[in-house]
Amino acid sequence: MFSLLLLIIYLSFVSLGLPDAVLGAAWPIIHEEFGVPISFSGSIYMLISCCTILSSLKSESLRLRFGTGKITAFSVLLTAVAIFGFSISPSLSVMLFFAIPYGLGAGSVDAALNHYVAVHYSGRSMNWLHCMWGIGAALGPYILGFVLQRGESWRSGYLVLSMIQATLTIILFLSLGLWGKEEKKEKTEEKKTPMSFRQILSITGAKECLVSFFLYCAIEQTLGLWSGSFMVYSLKIEAKLAASFVALFYFGITFGRFLAGILAAKWQDEALILGGCGILFLGLVLLFCSMVPGQEVKLFGMELRQLLVICALLLSGLGCAPIYPAIIHSTPRNFGAENTSALIGKQMAAAYIGSMSFPPFFGVLAKIFGTGLFPFFSTVLFFGMLFMYRNLLYKTRGKRGKIER
C-alpha cells in the first residue's frame, strides 16, 4: 500500500544516492585545484566508509532511543551540512573533516530506513527503495555535469546538492508525526536493549547471512570499479567506449530493481535472490567468453567482444539487482522481527566493509597478475556468496513463512 510516508522514504533514498557518485566525477577537477595527487580521493572514500560502518554498527541502539523518523531527519541534516562543507572546502584537510558527518549520516539513514521498510512494507517496496538509490546515484553526476556546462565550478554543483538535502531535511522534520504510530507499536513488540555482536552471531544463520551479504557487496563494487580497467587493458577497448559500457552495469541494477519490485508481488525473496544469482552467473560466463581470442568479427557495427561485454555487464547488473534488497527484506522472515533491527545494522556494516576492502585487494592482484584476473576473481566471490546463502537457507528453513505482511 502506497502512502505519503513511503513517498518520503523513497525521497530519502534518492537523497542518499545523490552525492555517492559525485566525488568520483568531480575529483579530476578538485585534485588539480587542491594540488594533491589524484590517488588522494581514496583517503576521502576510506574515511567516509569507516564512519558509515561505525554508524551502521550503532544503528540499533540509536533507533531504539530516538526512533526511525528522528534518526532519518538528523542523518539527512548531517549529510546536508557535510555536502555544503565540501562546497566551501579550501583544502583536502577541510574536505576530510566534512567527510566525517557525511559517513555518519549515510550509515544511520541507510540502516534505519532498510529496517523500517523490511518490517512494514512488501518486497516490492524494498526493491523500489533501492531503485530510488540508483536514480539518486545517476542524478548526482548529471547535476554536477549540468552545472559545469553552464560555466560554474564544482563547488556550485555540491552547493545545489546541499540545497536539495536541506529541503528534504525540512520535509523530514515536518513529517515526524507520520512515523509515530508505527514506532509506538515497535517499542511494545521489540527488545528494549540493543543486542551485542556476540548475541547476534549466536542467532542461527546470522553468520552465513553477514558473510553472504559481505561477499555480494564485494562483487557489486568490484564489478562496478574494475570492469572499465578490464575492458581497456585486457580486451583493448577504447577508454571512452569502456566508460560508457560501465554505465550499463548500473543501468542494469536500477532497471532490475524496478523489475524485481513488480515480480515481488508473486515471487518470494528467496526466489528473487536465486534467480538473480542465475542471471549474474550468466553475465560472468559472458565475461569469460569476451576474453576468447579472435573476436574481431563485427556484428551490428561492433566487434563481437564488445557485444559480449555489453551483454555481460547488463546481465550482471540485472542479476545483482534483487539480491541486496531481497536479503534485507527477508531478514524478519529468517530471524524474527525482534532481531531484525540488530541484523540489518550489521548487514549494512558488512556491506560497507565488503565494498571497501575487496576492490583495493583486487587492485593489488591486478598489479601482479594483470586485469585478466577480473572474471576469475568475481566468479570466486560469486560462488562463495552462493555457498553461504544456501547454508543460510538451510539453517533458517524452519522459520521462513512465519512472518507475513
Side-chain angles (χ1 to χ4, degrees):
M1 181 181 68
F2 198 81
S3 65
L4 177 59
L5 179 58
L6 184 57
L7 175 61
I8 291 172
I9 291 173
Y10 281 169
L11 289 175
S12 299
F13 241 68
V14 170
S15 79
L16 183 65
L18 270 176
D20 279 5
V22 174
L23 180 61
W27 188 250
I29 304 171
I30 297 174
H31 91 91
E32 290 186 357
E33 181 176 320
F34 286 173
V36 297
I38 195 168
S39 60
F40 276 33
S41 64
S43 60
I44 301 176
Y45 175 71
M46 290 290 287
L47 182 57
I48 290 173
S49 297
C50 289
C51 291
T52 303
I53 292 167
L54 178 62
S55 61
S56 297
L57 291 172
K58 299 296 292 182
S59 63
E60 185 194 16
S61 58
L62 290 172
R63 191 189 60 80
L64 288 174
R65 182 173 181 180
F66 299 107
T68 305
K70 292 178 182 178
I71 289 297
T72 302
F74 185 72
S75 296
V76 175
L77 174 61
L78 274 181
T79 58
V81 170
I83 295 170
F84 176 75
F86 279 10
S87 73
I88 62 172
S89 294
S91 64
L92 177 65
S93 58
V94 177
M95 187 169 273
L96 285 170
F97 173 78
F98 283 109
I100 296 173
Y102 182 122
L104 293 175
S108 294
V109 71
D110 199 0
L113 292 181
N114 271 295
H115 167 265
Y116 195 87
V117 174
V119 171
H120 297 290
Y121 292 96
S122 65
R124 170 180 293 182
S125 299
M126 179 62 80
N127 278 281
W128 286 353
L129 177 73
H130 289 272
C131 180
M132 294 301 110
W133 176 89
I135 292 172
L139 281 175
Y142 176 81
I143 292 171
L144 176 68
F146 179 78
V147 169
L148 293 175
Q149 288 174 12
R150 291 176 62 89
E152 302 291 336
S153 72
W154 62 270
R155 298 178 184 277
S156 298
Y158 269 111
L159 181 61
V160 170
L161 293 177
S162 69
M163 292 170 64
I164 295 172
Q165 298 278 38
T167 302
L168 179 60
T169 300
I170 295 171
I171 294 173
L172 285 167
F173 276 106
L174 292 175
S175 68
L176 287 178
L178 297 176
W179 305 80
K181 183 178 179 181
E182 292 296 341
E183 290 187 336
K184 287 179 182 178
K185 182 181 177 182
E186 285 179 16
K187 288 181 179 180
T188 62
E189 295 176 352
E190 291 184 334
K191 297 178 180 180
K192 300 299 182 181
T193 57
M195 299 175 67
S196 67
F197 191 58
R198 178 175 295 181
Q199 288 175 314
I200 294 170
L201 293 181
S202 68
I203 300 171
T204 303
K207 291 187 286 293
E208 288 78 9
C209 177
L210 294 178
V211 174
S212 60
F213 208 70
F214 167 84
L215 291 173
Y216 164 75
C217 293
I219 295 169
E220 181 186 309
Q221 195 73 0
T222 301
L223 285 170
L225 289 178
W226 285 101
S227 56
S229 299
F230 167 71
M231 286 185 280
V232 172
Y233 297 113
S234 295
L235 303 184
K236 307 304 179 184
I237 295 174
E238 186 182 357
K240 292 181 179 179
L241 197 58
S244 64
F245 289 170
V246 173
L248 296 174
F249 174 69
Y250 291 103
F251 171 80
I253 290 180
T254 303
F255 177 74
R257 284 176 179 165
F258 174 78
L259 183 61
I262 297 174
L263 295 175
K266 293 185 177 181
W267 290 18
Q268 294 286 343
D269 292 320
E270 292 77 19
L272 289 171
I273 293 168
L274 294 175
C277 286
I279 297 173
L280 174 56
F281 178 68
L282 181 57
L284 294 173
V285 170
L286 291 181
L287 276 182
F288 281 103
C289 293
S290 68
M291 297 179 66
V292 177
Q295 297 187 35
E296 289 76 17
V297 60
K298 290 192 175 182
L299 295 173
F300 309 108
M302 303 183 70
E303 292 183 357
L304 179 58
R305 60 180 175 177
Q306 294 177 354
L307 290 174
L308 284 173
V309 81
I310 285 174
C311 293
L313 291 173
L314 270 174
L315 288 173
S316 296
L318 287 170
C320 285
I323 297 175
Y324 188 107
I327 289 179
I328 297 172
H329 187 259
S330 62
T331 303
R333 295 181 64 236
N334 288 334
F335 302 104
E338 71 279 5
N339 297 320
T340 296
S341 178
L343 260 297
I344 287 181
K346 301 306 180 286
Q347 284 172 352
M348 295 298 102
Y352 288 111
I353 293 172
S355 299
M356 182 176 65
S357 59
F358 268 82
F361 177 56
F362 176 75
V364 174
L365 295 179
K367 188 175 182 179
I368 300 172
F369 301 105
T371 55
L373 188 67
F374 176 69
F376 299 91
F377 184 83
S378 301
T379 303
V380 169
L381 291 179
F382 168 79
F383 279 114
M385 176 199 70
L386 186 60
F387 175 76
M388 296 306 295
Y389 183 70
R390 293 295 295 180
N391 284 348
L392 165 65
L393 293 182
Y394 176 77
K395 289 190 175 183
T396 61
R397 60 184 177 181
K399 296 181 180 180
R400 289 192 299 279
K402 290 184 178 181
I403 296 178
E404 301 177 356
R405 283 179 300 283

